[in-house]
C-alpha cells in the first residue's frame, strides 16, 4: 500500500513538474513575442518620423561588436561594405547626437526577451545607405537593382520564402544552446542566433554575409541580401522572430508625409493649385531632396480654395484636407 502511494506521489510530482515547465515556457514565449512586437512598432515610428538632416526611411544601424561593446547604441555608418555590421543587437537606448541639433538615435525601448537577453536586429541596406538609395519615397517599392539594394528574405521551416521584401528583422535569441558561449564583452552573433538545415542547405540567422544562404555571391554587385529562417524550437534552434516589410514601413511613411503636407496647406490658404506653388524653402529639406514634391510620387488635387486631396504612388489611400476656422483637417480613406 505504502509503495503504491509513493509511486503515485512520484508520478504526480513528475506530472506537475511537466506542467510547470510548459507554463514557464509559455510565459517566456509570451514575453519574447511581446518584446518583438514592441521593437517592430518602435522601429516603424522611428523610421517614419526622421527629420532633417536625416529623412523618413532612415533606420538606425545595429549595435555590433566593432566598437568593442554592446552598449545599446547604434554603430553607424553601416550602409557601406562589408555587410557584417547590418546584423547586431537592437539599438534600444536613445541618445542625442550633435551638439547643435536635437536629433535622437535609438528606439528608447529598454526591453529583453523571455530569457532576459537583448533582442537582435538586422536591417536592409536600403534603409541605411543614403548613397545607394538616392531618394527614399514610394517609387522605391517598385524599384529594381541597381536603383536599390536587395531586401531581406525570410523563410519558413520548409525553406519557402515568407517574404523577400523585408526591411528589418527582430530576433529573440532565447537561452544559449549546446555549443554557444556568451561570456566576454562581445560574443558573436552565432553565440545567440541559430542555424536550420533544409534539404541540405544550412540557413543561418547569424552569418550576416549579405548573400542568400546556399548561394555564392562573388562580387559586391552580385550580393543577393541577407536571409533569416523561422523554424520550430528544438535542441539546436530557439530563435523567435518578427519582421517588418518595406510595404508596411512605406504606408507609415506616407501618413507622416501626408501630415507634413497638411501643416503646409494650413499656412498656404487658399489652397494652392499645386504643391510647387508652396515656397520650396518652407519645406523640410528631406521633402524636396527625396522627390516627395514630384508628380510621379505625390498626386495633389485642388478641389476648391478649402479642399484638396493627395495620393501617393503604390498606395490606394486618398488623403483629404479641409480648411475650416484657420485649421486644415486631414482624413483618409483606404489603406496602402
Ligand atoms: Ca557596439
Ligand atoms: Ca538562439
Ligand atoms: Ca543568413
Amino acid at each position: 500500500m505504502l509503495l503504491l502511494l509513493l509511486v503515485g506521489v512520484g508520478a504526480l510530482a513528475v506530472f506537475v513538474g511537466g506542467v510547470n515547465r510548459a507554463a514557464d515556457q509559455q510565459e517566456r514565449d509570451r514575453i519574447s513575442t511581446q518584446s518583438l512586437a514592441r521593437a517592430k512598432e518602435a522601429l516603424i515610428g522611428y523610421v517614419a518620423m526622421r527629420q532633417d538632416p536625416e529623412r523618413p526611411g532612415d533606420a538606425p544601424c545595429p549595435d555590433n561588436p566593432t566598437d568593442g561593446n554592446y552598449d545599446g547604441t547604434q554603430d553607424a555608418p553601416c550602409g557601406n561594405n562589408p555587410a557584417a555590421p547590418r546584423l547586431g543587437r537592437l539599438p534600444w537606448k536613445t541618445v542625442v547626437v550633435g551638439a547643435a541639433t536635437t536629433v535622437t538615435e535609438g528606439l528608447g525601448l529598454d526591453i529583453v526577451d523571455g530569457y532576459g537577453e537583448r533582442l537582435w536586429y538586422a536591417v536592409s541596406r536600403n534603409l541605411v545607405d543614403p548613397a545607394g538609395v538616392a531618394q527614399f519615397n514610394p517609387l522605391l517599392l517598385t524599384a529594381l537593382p541597381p536603383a536599390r539594394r536587395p531586401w531581406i528574405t525570410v523563410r519558413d521551416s520548409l525553406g519557402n520564402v515568407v517574404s523577400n521584401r523585408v526591411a528589418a528583422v527582430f530576433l529573440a535569441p532565447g537561452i544559449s544552446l549546446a555549443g554557444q558561449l556568451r561570456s566576454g564583452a562581445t560574443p558573436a552573433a552565432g553565440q545567440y542566433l541559430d542555424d536550420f538545415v533544409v534539404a541540405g542547405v544550412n540557413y543561418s540567422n547569424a552569418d550576416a554575409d549579405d548573400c542568400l544562404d546556399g548561394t555564392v555571391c562573388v562580387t559586391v554587385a552580385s550580393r543577393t541580401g541577407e536571409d533569416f529562417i523561422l523554424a520550430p524550437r528544438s535542441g539546436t534552434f530557439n530563435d523567435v522572430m518578427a519582421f517588418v516589410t518595406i510595404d508596411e514601413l512605406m504606408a507609415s511613411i506616407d501618413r507622416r508625409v501626408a501630415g507634413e503636407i497638411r501643416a503646409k496647406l494650413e499656412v498656404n490658404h487658399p489652397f494652392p493649385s499645386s504643391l510647387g506653388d508652396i515656397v520650396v524653402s518652407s519645406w523640410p529639406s528631406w521633402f524636396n531632396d527625396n522627390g516627395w514634391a514630384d508628380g510621379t510620387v505625390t498626386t495633389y488635387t485642388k478641389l476648391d480654395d478649402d479642399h484638396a486631396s493627395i495620393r501617393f504612388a503604390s498606395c490606394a489611400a486618398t488623403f483629404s484636407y479641409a480648411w475650416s476656422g484657420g485649421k486644415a483637417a486631414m482624413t483618409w480613406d483606404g489603406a496602402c
Side-chain angles (χ1 to χ4, degrees):
M1 195 59 141
L2 186 65
L3 188 64
L4 271 178
L5 189 66
L6 282 175
V7 168
V9 168
L12 186 66
V14 168
F15 173 73
V16 170
V19 169
N20 281 344
R21 268 194 302 281
D24 178 66
Q25 188 64 64
Q26 219 168 33
E27 176 61 8
R28 290 177 188 275
D29 287 347
R30 188 191 65 75
I31 293 169
S32 291
T33 305
Q34 190 179 51
S35 291
L36 291 168
R38 289 180 64 194
K40 173 175 172 172
E41 189 182 8
L43 185 84
I44 292 174
Y46 178 102
V47 166
M49 296 313 292
R50 291 290 87 193
Q51 51 195 358
D52 290 338
E54 297 182 282
R55 58 184 182 180
D58 284 349
C61 292
D63 173 14
N64 60 55
T66 53
D67 61 342
N69 63 48
Y70 289 126
D71 63 358
T73 66
Q74 71 161 337
D75 292 310
C78 60
N80 56 333
N81 293 312
R86 286 190 292 279
L87 171 72
R89 291 200 184 176
L90 186 74
W92 58 271
K93 199 182 278 184
T94 293
V95 291
V96 177
V97 292
T101 68
T102 54
V103 174
T104 57
E105 295 179 346
L107 303 180
L109 204 63
D110 192 357
I111 50 171
V112 291
D113 76 359
Y115 288 88
E117 294 285 359
R118 290 291 178 195
L119 301 186
W120 285 67
Y121 159 72
V123 61
S124 164
R125 192 169 167 182
N126 290 315
L127 279 69
V128 290
D129 183 11
V133 179
Q135 293 192 322
F136 202 109
N137 66 44
L139 299 184
L140 185 59
L141 296 173
T142 47
L144 299 171
R148 64 161 174 80
R149 314 292 189 183
W151 299 109
I152 295 170
T153 298
V154 170
R155 295 176 188 279
D156 67 16
S157 60
L158 299 174
N160 298 320
V161 172
V162 177
S163 174
N164 57 8
R165 297 177 61 78
V166 173
V169 166
F170 313 91
L171 296 131
I175 199 169
S176 60
L177 301 172
Q180 292 180 331
L181 193 63
R182 298 180 181 174
S183 58
T186 52
Q191 306 302 329
Y192 296 86
L193 306 177
D194 314 323
D195 293 4
F196 190 77
V197 177
V198 183
V201 176
N202 185 58
Y203 291 100
S204 170
N205 286 346
D207 59 355
D209 58 0
D210 208 15
C211 186
L212 294 176
D213 294 334
T215 70
V216 178
C217 305
V218 182
T219 62
V220 171
S222 71
R223 281 185 185 160
T224 41
E226 211 55 71
D227 57 357
F228 293 87
I229 191 159
L230 296 151
R233 184 194 313 279
S234 71
T236 55
F237 190 99
N238 65 354
D239 299 343
V240 185
M241 193 196 308
F243 62 85
V244 59
T245 64
I246 184 55
D247 306 284
E248 291 174 272
L249 268 183
M250 197 63 81
S252 177
I253 292 169
D254 283 350
R255 278 198 300 280
R256 187 270 168 100
V257 175
E260 206 74 41
I261 292 171
R262 187 211 66 76
K264 283 291 165 289
L265 291 177
E266 192 160 278
V267 293
N268 283 274
H269 184 263
F271 287 168
S273 302
S274 86
L275 290 180
D277 292 345
I278 296 175
V279 178
V280 169
S281 62
S282 72
W283 294 100
S285 296
W286 60 256
F287 187 84
N288 287 292
D289 290 351
N290 287 277
W292 288 98
D294 297 352
T296 50
V297 175
T298 308
T299 306
Y300 171 85
T301 308
K302 175 180 177 174
L303 305 171
D304 58 44
D305 283 353
D306 297 336
H307 297 88
S309 68
I310 55 160
R311 302 277 307 266
F312 294 114
S314 298
C315 171
T318 300
F319 295 85
S320 301
Y321 306 94
W323 170 271
S324 176
K327 296 282 178 193
M330 180 176 88
T331 54
W332 66 87
D333 285 322
C336 293

